[in-house]
């Protein structure tokens, strides 16, 4: 039989169930339970040392391939190549450790949030104990300002309000009551007779009995979800792994064929053919690729940091570029998490708040300030967010708040309670009479109103006027406004009995105000930008359905009246995972959701192959932040928990920064694609050249030639492509999604035909040189041909770097010399390549000959032909794409 939830049980039943009483536990009972169940604390996260993080970097498949290549190169005497590969691998590992050194701090942050002390009743005595010594059955006393130390079932409440936004996502403090709730399966935000660990008491006081501690609390359940969440593999990591495996198989096959053919032809010795096969493998492996990817990501990270997006894990930069879905928490992310007066209803007329001008004697203004528990401190306003919003509104309008409070001190009051939903205070007037100021829920307050203030005159409150005011209240509520009504009466003396019946009657209606946690001003445009980029924004909140729908409509996430796109957590509970996965595309707004709902939403979209980014700032967002492909925390309002579980943190809490980050992510991916197309087409050209030279029985390029070309062309020019400026209209393209890879979008075809072209041109130059030699001696003719092939293969790659500035765009439209780093990279690479031929002494080391002007002319013309042919192909590709 299922256990009845504590919020559905009576206090007497709970005492019996937990074997406690209103006097609390005895000290002996508390110590026994502490020994049996452990401390009221969250599990410590297991941390890894810097050495472990460093070693973990070498588990990547591509890195393993490179280490094997370095080992083989070293064993066969190619020490230079082995050293170069090892330097690249170590630098890559250092970058990774540096970026991830502060990762996985979520559980520690949750622990730090816990209250240090708690006030309890034990053996009938009031004691202060450390919060981690609380046990189930303890009686805890709460006051305004306290952090709730464990999950409590409230047993006695006096005007208690608890701010639970970090747990539920609801921005307005929740009014609590001690009564038993009848409804089953209530969402956390609706369990009004419960108080949850790490929430804040903003108003009133209460007594509660501890029903759960440590990992058994609601926040503990979230900590457990974070611990259990699997690390997601980013599209970048998946692509690099796939690329590494494909290249390894291809390289081994081609190397084996070349080795076998060479031995069959008996043209070279066993050692020479082994060296040739190894040099071919080195030619095919893009040794610089991991470093280029890492450097490109790191530079993207620096640019994003300047634009207020702090990346905690390097692959997150690229992942943003493939994002299909941005699921955003509402409170503090889409909205300001600050109640603000937006509408004022005065003289039976509804006005925009900014257009109202109050004089000092205005009764509505006075009641808003006087029937209010806000404290004005040197650090700002302190109190309930709804009440501080009323005072702040008046302060913003230069209303003399402190003077009115000084002239009208509070001499009596009836505090707010959740049953009558009213608050009344009494203040002396200059003529000796007293002003009774009343505020509360419009429905309840209007029952006590008999008159209305209209332009300074007091008139009877007619039935028609009452209906009109109630309709206005309803209209404001449907626009997600939190409505309060204000009334007053003037009496000759302070009522002897301060009861609702005596005081709160025959009231004069002063007006109403509509407040809201307003959307951030830049968010609507950011939502529009995301939609134009093919990204679907979702809103996830703990607020009620109507509030969520109204805010989402104002932001443009859904269209007006599109109520079918809104779903609540309760409705979500009625669906199994398969049904929800089928229907997930129908919904854009999720209201009254719990932490596990957010994870379900992320998982449902991921089942459709979508790349999901999740933003959030609360404890309740942490599991979904970790489950998402990229979790985005808020730097200012975000809890340390949400930051620790995220891949990226917005330093300015600005939703529009996400769009900037997506743009940067797309740029990073595009630039990595350019570098990959450049590197692999160049390496394919080298492989084909060596392969065909072996097949044709020609003298082949030596390992030192291939290594030098790779060192010169695979480093600076390739890295320079990683910092190319963003191409136009990159944010008007559809997201790549999870199925895309580095070979998508015509890149694979480009690699193949461009690699074939490079190989063909190089072989063509060799054939020309050997067929029409400048020197008649066979040895000199072969030396010239080999030198020309070496120079052509190197130069053709430098010319091809200009082609690689855009996958399909013409080099004349992307800016030939716009990237200064690229320009210098080409100049330096050309100088390094040319000096091996031109500098005396170096040419003998590299086994190359001096070339005359005619031979250099053939090399330059053939190399430049690469640009001409690729430009022609791109021209026809663009016509087909159109």
């Amino acid at each position: 039989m299922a256990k009845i939830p504590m919020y559905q049980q009576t206090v007497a039943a709970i005492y019996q169930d937990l074997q406690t009483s209103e006097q609390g536990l005895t000290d002996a009972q508390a110590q026994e339970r502490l020994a049996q169940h452990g401390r009221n604390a969250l599990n410590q996260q297991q941390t890894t040392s810097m050495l472990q993080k460093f070693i973990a970097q070498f588990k990547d498949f591509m890195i393993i391939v490179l280490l094997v290549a370095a080992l083989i190169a070293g064993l066969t005497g190619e020490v230079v190549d082995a050293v170069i590969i090892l330097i690249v691998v170590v630098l890559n590992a250092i970058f990774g450790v540096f970026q991830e050194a502060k990762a996985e701090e979520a559980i520690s942050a949750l622990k730090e949030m816990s209250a240090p002390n708690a006030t309890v009743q034990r053996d009938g005595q009031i004691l202060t104990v450390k919060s981690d010594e609380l046990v189930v059955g303890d009686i805890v006393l709460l006051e305004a300002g306290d952090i709730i130390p464990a999950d409590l079932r409230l047993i006695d409440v006096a005007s208690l309000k608890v701010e639970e936004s970090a747990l539920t996502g609801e921005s307005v403090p929740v009014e609590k009551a001690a009564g038993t709730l009848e409804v089953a399966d209530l969402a956390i935000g609706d369990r009004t007779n419960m108080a949850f660990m790490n929430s804040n008491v903003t108003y009133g006081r209460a007594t509660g009995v501890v029903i759960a501690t440590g990992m058994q609390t609601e926040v503990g359940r979230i900590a457990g979800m974070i611990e259990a969440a699997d690390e997601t593999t980013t599209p970048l990591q998946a692509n690099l792994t796939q690329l590494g495996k494909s290249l390894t198989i291809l390289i081994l096959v081609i190397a084996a064929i070349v080795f076998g053919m060479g031995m069959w032809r008996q043209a070279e010795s066993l050692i020479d053919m082994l060296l040739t096969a190894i040099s071919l493998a080195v030619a095919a492996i893009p040794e610089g690729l991991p470093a280029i990817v890492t450097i490109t990501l790191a530079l993207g990270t620096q640019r994003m940091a300047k634009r207020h997006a702090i990346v905690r894990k390097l692959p997150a930069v690229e992942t943003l570029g493939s994002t299909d879905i941005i699921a955003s928490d509402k409170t503090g992310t889409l909205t300001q998490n600050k109640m603000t007066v937006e509408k004022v209803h005065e003289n039976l007329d509804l006005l925009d708040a900014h257009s109202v001008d109050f004089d000092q004697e205005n009764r509505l203004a006075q009641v808003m300030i006087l029937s209010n528990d806000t404290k004005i401190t040197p650090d700002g306003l302190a109190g309930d967010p709804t009440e501080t919003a009323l005072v702040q509104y008046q302060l913003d309008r230069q209303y003399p708040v402190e003077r009115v409070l000084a002239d009208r001190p509070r001499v009596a009051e009836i505090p707010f309670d959740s049953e009558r939903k009213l608050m009344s205070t009494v203040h002396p007037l200059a003529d000796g009479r007293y002003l009774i100021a009343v505020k509360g829920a419009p429905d309840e307050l209007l029952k006590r109103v008999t008159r209305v203030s209209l332009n300074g005159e007091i008139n009877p409150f007619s039935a028609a006027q009452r209906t009109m005011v109630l309709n206005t209240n309803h209209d404001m509520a449907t626009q997600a406004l939190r409505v309060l009504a204000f009334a007053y009466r003037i009496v000759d003396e302070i009522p002897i009995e301060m009861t609702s019946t005596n005081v709160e009657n025959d009231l004069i209606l002063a007006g109403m105000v509509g407040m809201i946690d307003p959307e951030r001003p830049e968010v609507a445009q950011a939502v529009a930008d995301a939609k134009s980029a093919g990204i679907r924004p979702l809103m996830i909140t703990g607020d009620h359905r109507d509030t969520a729908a109204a805010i989402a409509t104002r932001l443009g996430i859904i269209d007006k009246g599109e109520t079918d796109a809104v779903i609540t957590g309760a409705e979500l509970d009625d669906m199994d995972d398969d049904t929800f996965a089928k229907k997930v595309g129908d919904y854009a707004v999720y209201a009254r959701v719990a932490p596990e709902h957010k994870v379900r939403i992320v998982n449902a979209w991921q089942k459709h192959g979508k790349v999901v980014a999740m933003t959030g700032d609360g404890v309740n967002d942490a599991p979904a932040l970790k489950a998402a492909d990229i979790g985005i925390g808020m730097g200012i309002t975000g809890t340390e928990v949400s930051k620790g579980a995220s891949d990226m943190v917005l330093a300015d809490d600005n939703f529009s920064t996400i769009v900037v980050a997506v743009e940067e992510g797309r740029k990073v991916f595009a630039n990595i694609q350019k570098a990959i197309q450049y590197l692999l087409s160049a390496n394919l050209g080298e492989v084909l050249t060596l392969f065909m030279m072996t097949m044709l029985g020609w003298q082949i390029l030596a390992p030192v030639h291939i290594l030098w070309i790779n060192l010169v062309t695979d480093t600076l020019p390739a890295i320079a492509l990683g910092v190319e400026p963003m191409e136009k209209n990159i944010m008007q393209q559809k997201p790549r999604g999870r199925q895309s890879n580095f070979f998508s979008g015509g890149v694979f075809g480009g690699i193949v035909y461009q690699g074939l072209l490079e190989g063909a041109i190089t072989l063509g130059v060799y054939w020309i040189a050997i067929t029409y030699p400048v020197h008649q001696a066979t040895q000199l003719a072969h030396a010239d041909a080999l030198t020309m092939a070496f120079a052509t293969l190197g130069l053709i790659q430098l010319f091809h770097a200009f082609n690689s500035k855009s996958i399909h765009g013409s080099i004349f439209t992307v800016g030939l010399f716009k990237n200064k780093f690229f320009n210098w990279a080409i100049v330096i690479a050309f100088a390094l390549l040319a000096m091996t031929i031109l500098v005396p002494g170096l040419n003998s080391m590299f086994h190359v000959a001096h070339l005359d002007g005619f031979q250099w002319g053939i090399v330059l013309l053939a190399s430049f032909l690469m640009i001409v042919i690729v430009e022609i192909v791109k021209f026809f590709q663009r016509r087909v794409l159109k």
Side-chain angles (χ1 to χ4, degrees):
M1 182 176 175
K3 187 177 179 181
I4 300 173
M6 291 290 184
Y7 59 82
Q8 285 188 280
Q9 295 187 41
T10 63
V11 173
I14 289 170
Y15 283 157
Q16 185 176 356
D17 188 22
L18 302 181
Q19 297 181 349
T20 188
S21 70
E22 62 183 8
Q23 299 302 312
L25 302 171
T26 65
D27 191 58
Q29 285 177 313
Q31 295 305 319
E32 181 184 343
R33 294 186 185 191
L34 186 64
Q36 183 179 356
H37 300 292
R39 291 189 172 274
N40 175 32
L42 303 176
N43 291 347
Q44 284 274 28
Q45 184 189 13
Q46 290 185 343
T47 57
T48 55
S49 67
M50 293 294 279
L51 179 61
Q52 288 172 313
K53 286 185 173 74
F54 185 76
I55 292 171
Q57 303 298 316
F58 293 89
K59 295 178 181 177
D60 183 82
F61 188 81
M62 193 72 175
I63 299 299
I64 294 170
V65 171
L66 291 175
L67 288 173
V68 172
L71 179 64
I72 294 172
L75 291 174
T76 54
E78 302 300 333
V79 179
V80 174
D81 192 47
V83 170
I84 290 170
I85 294 172
L86 287 174
I87 289 172
V88 166
V89 168
V90 171
L91 283 174
N92 184 68
I94 291 170
F95 268 123
V97 171
F98 177 74
Q99 283 295 321
E100 296 179 19
K102 294 184 179 180
E104 305 305 332
E105 297 172 351
I107 303 300
S108 314
L110 270 168
K111 187 173 183 296
E112 289 169 7
M113 284 179 62
S114 301
N117 294 303
T119 304
V120 300
Q121 184 165 300
R122 288 182 182 170
D123 291 320
Q125 301 294 316
I126 305 299
L127 306 171
T128 298
V129 300
K130 292 182 178 179
S131 64
D132 63 359
E133 294 177 1
L134 285 179
V135 295
V136 171
D138 261 326
I139 303 298
V140 176
L141 283 67
L142 301 173
E143 292 183 348
D146 285 351
I147 298 174
I148 295 168
D151 281 4
L152 310 176
R153 166 63 160 88
L154 300 172
I155 55 180
D156 183 37
V157 169
S159 304
L160 183 69
K161 291 185 182 181
V162 178
E163 196 271 308
E164 299 176 341
S165 65
L167 186 64
T168 66
E170 187 167 3
S171 54
V172 179
V174 179
E175 297 169 8
K176 297 292 184 177
T180 302
L181 300 172
E182 302 294 335
V183 182
D185 299 324
L186 285 175
I188 292 174
D190 294 324
R191 298 175 195 173
T192 52
N193 59 4
M194 304 275 286
F196 300 104
M197 186 177 184
N198 291 348
S199 299
N200 299 300
V201 179
T202 64
Y203 190 86
R205 62 184 185 278
T207 305
V209 58
V210 176
I211 61 169
T213 60
M215 295 300 289
Q216 303 305 311
T217 62
E218 289 296 330
V219 78
R221 285 178 57 246
I222 294 173
M225 290 166 70
I226 297 173
E227 283 184 328
D230 295 327
E231 288 290 339
T232 53
T233 300
T234 69
L236 177 69
Q237 292 165 328
N239 281 335
L240 284 177
T241 301
Q242 177 191 357
L243 180 59
K245 290 178 179 177
S246 303
L247 282 176
T248 303
I249 295 168
L250 186 64
I251 290 161
L252 291 175
V253 169
I254 293 175
I257 291 172
V258 169
F259 179 78
M261 287 296 294
M263 293 307 296
W264 178 69
R265 292 173 60 88
Q266 297 182 345
E268 305 280 351
S269 67
L270 176 66
I271 296 298
D272 287 340
M273 281 314 303
L274 186 61
L275 281 173
T276 298
I278 289 171
S279 65
L280 189 148
V282 170
I285 294 176
E287 299 95 339
L289 181 58
I292 288 162
V293 169
T294 304
I295 290 167
T296 303
L297 291 173
L299 292 172
T301 299
Q302 291 179 7
R303 288 192 298 270
M304 290 171 71
K306 291 176 182 176
R307 301 176 79 172
H308 309 296
I310 310 300
V311 175
R312 300 178 69 247
K313 298 177 183 177
L314 274 182
V317 181
E318 182 276 332
T319 310
L320 271 165
S322 59
T323 299
D324 297 285
I325 306 293
I326 298 177
S328 175
D329 178 51
K330 177 186 78 73
T331 305
T333 307
L334 298 172
T335 63
Q336 298 175 27
N337 198 16
K338 181 178 69 177
M339 293 301 288
T340 305
V341 176
E342 186 165 284
K343 297 286 185 181
V344 173
H345 187 254
E346 188 186 24
N347 298 321
L348 300 182
D349 191 15
L350 187 63
L351 305 166
D352 288 330
H354 64 80
S355 66
V356 180
D357 189 19
F358 293 117
D359 61 51
Q360 186 173 335
E361 298 306 316
N362 184 282
R363 291 299 186 199
L364 175 57
Q366 289 179 358
V367 177
M368 286 168 68
I369 293 166
L370 297 174
S371 185
N372 194 313
D373 287 328
T374 297
K375 299 289 186 293
I376 301 175
T377 72
D379 297 325
L381 302 180
D384 180 85
T386 303
E387 293 193 324
T388 58
L390 297 173
V391 176
Q392 188 62 55
Y393 171 67
Q394 300 292 8
L395 289 172
D396 291 342
R397 307 195 67 72
Q398 283 77 49
Y399 187 81
V401 174
E402 293 185 79
R403 189 190 311 160
V404 170
L405 289 172
D407 292 345
R408 309 271 192 274
R410 186 182 303 184
V411 293
E413 67 179 310
I414 307 177
F416 176 88
D417 72 57
S418 56
E419 289 189 11
R420 78 183 207 287
K421 297 182 179 179
L422 298 173
M423 171 184 181
S424 297
T425 56
V426 182
H427 307 267
L429 296 173
D431 61 5
R433 295 185 298 169
Y434 294 88
L435 172 72
I436 297 176
V438 185
K439 83 161 186 294
D443 291 347
E444 294 300 321
L445 187 140
L446 288 173
K447 293 176 184 177
R448 296 160 170 81
V449 168
T450 58
R451 292 168 291 169
V452 60
S453 174
L454 288 173
N455 299 312
E457 295 183 4
I458 309 302
N459 298 309
F461 192 46
S462 68
Q465 289 171 333
R466 185 183 304 274
T467 301
M468 185 185 73
V469 173
L470 286 171
N471 288 339
T472 302
N473 170 46
H474 175 74
D475 290 343
M476 284 196 283
T478 57
Q479 296 172 47
L481 297 177
R482 180 179 174 84
V483 185
L484 284 177
F486 302 87
Y488 67 97
R489 61 184 285 216
I490 295 173
V491 295
D492 293 330
E493 56 186 24
I494 301 172
I496 297 172
E497 291 185 33
M498 289 295 294
T499 64
S500 178
T501 304
N502 276 354
V503 176
E504 295 166 345
N505 62 75
D506 193 26
L507 300 177
I508 301 167
L509 180 65
M512 298 187 296
V513 299
M515 290 174 285
I516 197 169
D517 175 12
E519 66 271 23
R520 292 178 175 274
E522 71 283 342
V523 169
Q525 184 58 49
V527 168
D529 291 344
K531 285 186 170 182
S532 70
I535 300 167
R536 182 168 184 179
L538 309 177
M539 187 175 87
I540 303 175
T541 178
D543 277 344
H544 290 281
R545 185 190 195 109
D546 289 345
T547 303
I551 291 288
T553 302
R554 290 165 64 137
L555 292 173
I557 293 173
I558 60 174
D559 295 329
K560 191 172 183 179
E562 195 181 352
T563 54
D564 291 344
V566 185
I567 185 173
T568 65
E571 292 169 333
L572 196 53
D573 284 334
D574 292 335
M575 294 187 200
D576 58 42
D577 287 343
D578 291 337
T579 304
F580 177 52
K582 291 175 184 175
K583 293 186 174 182
V584 68
D586 297 338
Y587 309 116
V589 179
Y590 297 83
R592 299 304 275 174
V593 293
E596 56 268 26
H597 292 141
K598 300 186 178 189
V599 177
R600 283 187 71 191
I601 294 163
V602 170
N603 291 340
W605 278 109
Q606 287 174 333
K607 285 180 181 177
H608 285 268
K610 301 296 185 183
V611 177
V612 182
M614 168 75 190
T615 72
D617 64 344
V619 177
N620 59 317
D621 299 317
L625 289 173
K626 195 166 182 182
D629 296 284
I630 175 163
I632 307 170
M634 298 292 131
I636 299 173
T637 60
T639 59
E640 289 305 311
V641 183
S642 61
K643 295 177 197 174
S646 64
D647 303 294
M648 186 181 87
V649 176
L650 302 182
D652 59 357
D653 283 13
N654 191 331
F655 186 85
S656 64
T657 304
I658 299 171
V659 178
V660 170
V662 169
E663 181 181 88
E664 192 63 49
R666 290 189 176 189
K667 172 184 169 183
V668 164
F669 183 86
N671 286 351
I672 292 175
Q673 264 196 323
K674 294 170 188 176
I676 285 176
Q677 177 172 286
Y678 168 67
L679 285 172
L680 294 188
S681 59
N683 289 8
L684 179 59
E686 294 170 11
V687 168
L688 288 172
T689 300
L690 288 174
F691 182 76
M692 291 307 299
M693 281 180 162
T694 304
M695 295 299 100
L696 295 169
W698 292 353
Q699 186 175 351
I700 63 174
L701 293 167
V704 68
H705 295 145
I706 299 301
L707 292 174
W708 189 252
I709 289 174
N710 278 2
L711 179 65
V712 169
T713 62
D714 285 11
T715 50
L716 289 178
I719 293 171
L721 286 171
V723 293
E724 274 291 296
M726 185 176 64
E727 291 187 56
K728 295 177 182 177
N729 302 323
I730 199 167
M731 287 300 286
Q732 274 67 56
Q733 300 168 10
K734 290 183 179 179
R736 299 189 316 275
R738 193 177 296 279
Q739 300 306 314
S740 71
N741 55 47
F742 289 126
F743 297 120
S744 301
V747 172
F748 181 75
I751 290 170
V752 172
Y753 91 81
Q754 289 162 15
L756 288 171
L757 188 58
E758 287 188 30
I761 292 172
T762 304
L763 291 168
V765 169
Y766 185 95
W767 180 82
I768 290 170
I770 207 73
T771 306
Y772 306 102
V774 172
H775 300 96
Q776 295 305 312
T778 303
Q779 187 176 354
L780 290 175
H782 278 289
D784 285 350
L786 205 61
T787 302
M788 290 173 70
F790 167 66
T792 302
L793 190 56
L795 279 178
I796 207 170
Q797 292 182 19
L798 297 184
F799 278 115
H800 184 46
F802 286 94
N803 289 328
S804 302
K805 280 174 167 279
S806 176
I807 303 299
H808 296 295
S810 169
I811 60 173
F812 301 110
T813 60
V814 296
L816 265 178
F817 306 108
K818 197 173 181 180
N819 183 350
K820 292 181 180 179
F821 181 51
F822 180 88
N823 300 337
W824 280 109
I826 296 296
V827 170
I828 293 169
F830 177 79
L832 289 171
L833 189 67
M835 73 182 189
T836 60
I837 300 172
L838 299 175
V839 177
L842 283 180
N843 52 6
S844 58
M845 285 177 57
F846 281 87
H847 313 295
V848 293
H850 283 292
L851 302 177
D852 62 20
F854 175 73
Q855 290 170 318
W856 272 114
I858 292 173
V859 169
L860 290 169
L861 185 63
S863 301
F864 184 74
L865 195 60
M866 186 73 187
I867 288 181
V868 176
I869 296 173
V870 172
E871 275 293 300
I872 293 169
V873 174
K874 283 185 181 181
F875 172 76
F876 287 106
Q877 283 180 332
R878 290 194 297 274
R879 289 180 69 93
V880 171
L881 287 173
K882 281 185 179 180

